Amino acid sequence: MSFKHLPLLAAGEIIATLNLNGEQSARAADLAAKVVHRAWTRRPADRRGQGYPEFAAAVPACSWLTMFEVAALLDLGRTCEASRLMEASRIVHGQSR
């Protein structure tokens, strides 16, 4: 479980809003970290010299929070809401799948 890159106050709001317990929060944080690690393994050639800690630190706080909330929603079985949140994030950030 790693909350290292999550802004704690905002993560706390998500935890409170979704009424997550400690285990659910830990699983959501782990999944967010796994997503970032997976992105690191697939980084473009020009960023291959960058280590994981540097890469993870460069991920914007809002992205960490979005991944954490999506992971929490998935853990709660709320897949439709998680999908809508992911789609909204793609639209806001101007990225495609």
Side-chain angles (χ1 to χ4, degrees):
M1 160 177 73
S2 175
F3 286 91
K4 180 178 180 179
H5 299 287
L6 282 169
L8 293 181
L9 288 177
E13 289 180 24
I14 293 169
I15 291 167
T17 300
L18 297 177
N19 197 28
L20 301 176
N21 63 34
E23 288 180 11
Q24 292 166 323
S25 299
R27 285 193 299 266
D30 284 344
L31 183 53
K34 286 177 185 173
V35 169
V36 172
H37 190 270
R38 176 93 184 233
W40 176 72
T41 64
R42 295 176 167 206
R43 65 198 180 283
D46 63 327
R47 295 180 71 186
R48 294 242 164 95
Q50 188 178 40
Y52 175 74
E54 184 182 4
F55 181 86
V59 174
C62 64
S63 295
W64 277 103
L65 287 169
T66 300
M67 289 183 286
F68 177 73
E69 187 169 2
V70 166
L73 288 168
L74 290 171
D75 191 65
L76 294 171
R78 295 164 63 176
T79 56
C80 290
E81 290 173 80
S83 293
R84 281 187 241 132
L85 181 55
M86 286 186 292
E87 186 60 30
S89 179
R90 286 184 187 110
I91 292 168
V92 168
H93 295 289
Q95 298 174 355
S96 63
R97 293 182 177 201

